[in-house]
Each structure stands twice: as structure tokens, then as C-alpha cells.
Amino acid sequence: VALVACACFTATLCTVLIYKVSPEAGSSGAPENKGWLNGSSPFPPGGYKPIHLFVRCFATILGNASGYPVGREGPTVSMGTNFAYIVTEFMAGPHVRQWVNIDVVGQAPTAALMVDEEQIAQAKRVACAVGGACGMAMIFDAPMGGILYMFEEMTAVCWPLELTFRAFVGTIVCALLSRALLNGMGTDIKAFVIYEWSPQRHPWGWNDVPFFFVLAAAMGSFSALHTVVCLKVGDLRQKAMKSLEHLQPVNKMVEAVLYAALCALTSSLVAQMGRCEPLKTGASVEFVRYNCQEGEYNPVASLLLTTSEAAVNLLFSRKNAGQIHPTNAFLSFLGYTCLNIGLTGVTVPSGNFTG
């Protein structure tokens, strides 16, 4: 009951912040961002205003705290783009504006402000691409990964030649600055990425390659199916919300709060199916006790009643072999996948890289 109440409280704060301050921040912003950067869609509705940046930032925090099956990656990329847009407009704007005198025969001279719209638009697109790459680089501590991600989003046709070097410098500086800030706060980047630092000399062998192919084929097929079902759910939600259009935005706010309650309730009930296991000495701090005795942990709760990044970190860890059994992993997978699919269309900033 307490978990559901907390989820409803934070979800209410999230939805009120979005609908009362900046409705444009009620999503990851990734589709609009991608469409504008690669030229396939017009400028995002509402633009990239400072208020959108702050609302998306706090709404992402509240959305993750509410227990929605979301991550912080997509909104972080959009926030990086938003911040870069604001900085470019402030710093480069004065350099593309110029007052000129207009002399017309028989009339007094007048002054007009000329703006090089093409140049400022080019500067904003380049800066926004660098900002998005920096957001991805900061999340995963992977500068090259940030560049490749934005290159994929913009496509080679819309990727200017000079952008490569600028993105490289930007992501490197971002990664170094992120590490410096975290070290200054007494923590480390390893606490925030989805992998655990445990290097091995021979992490895999050639006999594992066939299994990699089978796994890639299975997950690729599942990903396509997952996308199709998500689109169906989103279409059904749109039709349902359209029939309640006279109640907007209250209907969407209530829906978001109720879905947060459903997520908390479902995760709690599914976690009850997990069998308590003894906590080994030196085990990962990500294990969740939940309904177990002192010195024990619940494997299903450790995957569901935590953030998406913490759950993936736990699954990737090599230090807890045998502590997350296949049955527990399957229960968590089933519960999380169903909630993740049902989330499609709910107004909450969401990233899905760790989904």
C-alpha cells in the first residue's frame, strides 16, 4: 500500500508539472528531435525553451521515481539538444543580426534589422547534434557511442563534414567533465552506467559465437513484435482519449497516476512470487530485500523494484553468478515487458534503451 501511495504521489507531481507548466515536455522528445535534425519534419512544436529543459529534467526524475518502466536515456538526449539550442541562440544570435540603412528616394533614411536565418539555422542544427551526442555520452560514459547514436539519428545525408570533429571534441569534454563532477561529489561514473567494471582476460570464446547469432535473431524478432504491439496499444489509447476529449487534460493526468499505481501494484505482486535467497558475503548492493528476512534477498524484487539501469547492471554483473535464477529472470521479464508495452502513450518522459 505504501509503495502504491508513493508511486501515485510522485506520478501526480510529474503530471501536474508537465500539464501546468510545459505540456511539450511530456515525452522523451526523441522523435521530434530526430525529425528536425535530419530534416524530415518541421521545428518541434513549442521549440526548445528553457522551461522545457527544466520541466523535462524534473519530470524524468519523478517519472523514474514513480516506478514507470522507463529509463532516462531518451529525455537526456533531448535535454542535451535543448541546452545546446539555448546556448547557440544566446551566443551566436548577435553575430547573425545586423542593422542596415535603407535609403529610398524622396523618403527619410530608415534602419532595418537583417538576420541571416540560414546561417543561424545551420549553427543550431550542428550544436543540437553535438548536444544530443553529449547527452548520450554522459549517460553511458561512451563518447564514441554518443557520436554514432546521433549519426544514426541524423543519417549521413544530413551530417555535415565539420560536425564529426566538433562532436568528437564535445563528447570527450562532456565525459571528462561528468567524471570530474562525480568525483567531486564523492562518487564515480561506474555507479551510473549499466555495466559493472569487472575486466577479464578472456570474456568469451569462439564457441560462443553461434549462440550470439541465435540470441541476436531471437531478440531482433522480439523487438519487432514488441514495437508492433506498442503501436497497437498507442493507437487504442489515442482512440480512448479522443472519446474523452472534453475532459482533457484531466483524463490524461488521471490515467498517468492510475498507471503508476498499476505498475507499483503489479511489480509488488510479481515480486511476491520470488523465493528468498541467502545474501552472500560481498554481494552486490543492488539486491533488494523486500519481503525476505534479514540477510536474504528477493531476486524478482531486485529486478522489478528498482530502476531499469540497476536491473540491467545486476543482470550484466559477473560477480553474482547463480544468484538470479532463470525462473526469476523470466518472471521479471514478463512483468516488465507487459508494463512497458502498456506505457505507450502515457504522458511521461521516457527512455527505452534499457527496456
Side-chain angles (χ1 to χ4, degrees):
V1 176
L3 182 64
V4 174
C6 289
C8 290
F9 176 72
T10 52
T12 301
L13 293 179
C14 180
T15 53
V16 169
L17 180 64
I18 290 172
Y19 280 104
K20 295 301 182 182
V21 182
S22 177
E24 293 84 358
S27 66
S28 69
E32 298 87 353
N33 188 35
K34 175 181 179 179
W36 178 64
L37 288 176
N38 63 26
S40 61
S41 63
F43 191 66
Y48 293 108
K49 300 177 182 177
I51 191 63
H52 298 165
L53 177 63
F54 290 110
V55 170
R56 181 166 278 128
C57 174
F58 289 106
T60 300
I61 296 172
L62 291 170
N64 278 267
S66 300
Y68 291 115
V70 298
R72 53 195 170 92
E73 299 80 12
T76 303
V77 174
S78 297
M79 285 188 284
T81 299
N82 195 336
F83 181 75
Y85 185 93
I86 296 170
V87 171
T88 304
E89 193 169 54
F90 175 76
M91 298 186 68
H95 298 284
V96 297
R97 298 184 180 96
Q98 182 179 4
W99 286 97
V100 296
N101 293 321
I102 301 177
D103 294 326
V104 180
V105 178
Q107 297 182 9
T110 58
L113 179 62
M114 304 296 292
V115 181
D116 191 340
E117 296 288 353
E118 185 175 342
Q119 185 178 359
I120 190 63
Q122 170 71 4
K124 287 177 179 178
R125 285 178 186 269
V126 170
C128 288
V130 175
C134 288
M136 182 61 67
M138 182 271 296
I139 285 287
F140 294 106
D141 190 34
M144 294 305 298
I147 297 173
L148 293 175
Y149 172 79
M150 290 309 297
F151 182 79
E152 179 187 11
E153 292 290 282
M154 292 183 63
T155 70
V157 177
C158 302
W159 186 272
L161 184 61
E162 68 273 14
L163 179 54
T164 303
F165 180 74
R166 294 174 183 178
F168 177 77
V169 174
T171 52
I172 292 295
V173 172
C174 175
L176 292 175
L177 183 60
S178 177
R179 290 194 175 208
L181 291 174
L182 289 173
N183 291 337
M185 297 178 65
T187 184
D188 189 75
I189 190 66
K190 298 182 182 67
F192 293 90
V193 294
I194 63 171
Y195 57 83
E196 187 175 76
W197 182 253
S198 55
Q200 295 185 6
R201 294 191 55 169
H202 302 290
W204 61 275
W206 287 106
N207 56 328
D208 296 320
V209 174
F211 175 75
F212 294 158
F213 278 106
V214 173
L215 183 62
M219 295 311 299
S221 302
F222 175 78
S223 176
L225 177 62
H226 177 272
T227 303
V228 170
V229 177
C230 283
L231 292 174
K232 292 290 184 182
V233 171
D235 185 54
L236 291 174
R237 178 167 276 115
Q238 276 190 339
K239 292 178 180 178
M241 288 296 107
K242 193 171 182 179
S243 64
L244 300 173
E245 195 171 1
H246 61 287
L247 297 175
Q248 286 189 11
V250 177
N251 58 337
K252 292 186 177 181
M253 296 172 68
V254 171
E255 180 200 26
V257 174
L258 292 178
Y259 197 80
L262 177 64
C263 290
L265 183 62
T266 302
S267 298
S268 301
L269 294 177
V270 174
Q272 292 281 351
M273 302 179 187
R275 188 178 63 181
C276 296
E277 301 285 347
L279 193 63
K280 296 182 181 179
T281 305
S284 173
V285 294
E286 300 294 344
F287 284 118
V288 177
R289 177 181 169 186
Y290 191 47
N291 60 337
C292 301
Q293 300 294 328
E294 184 72 31
E296 296 181 335
Y297 70 95
N298 186 317
V300 179
S302 298
L303 295 175
L304 287 181
L305 299 179
T306 185
T307 63
S308 302
E309 288 83 2
V312 175
N313 193 320
L314 194 62
L315 291 170
F316 282 2
S317 175
R318 295 179 178 135
K319 297 180 181 178
N320 57 358
Q323 293 179 301
I324 301 293
H325 302 294
T327 303
N328 299 320
F330 180 74
L331 284 173
S332 304
F333 164 78
L334 207 58
Y336 187 93
T337 302
C338 292
L339 292 175
N340 183 260
I341 291 173
L343 182 71
T344 307
V346 176
T347 307
V348 58
S350 58
N352 209 27
F353 288 87
T354 51

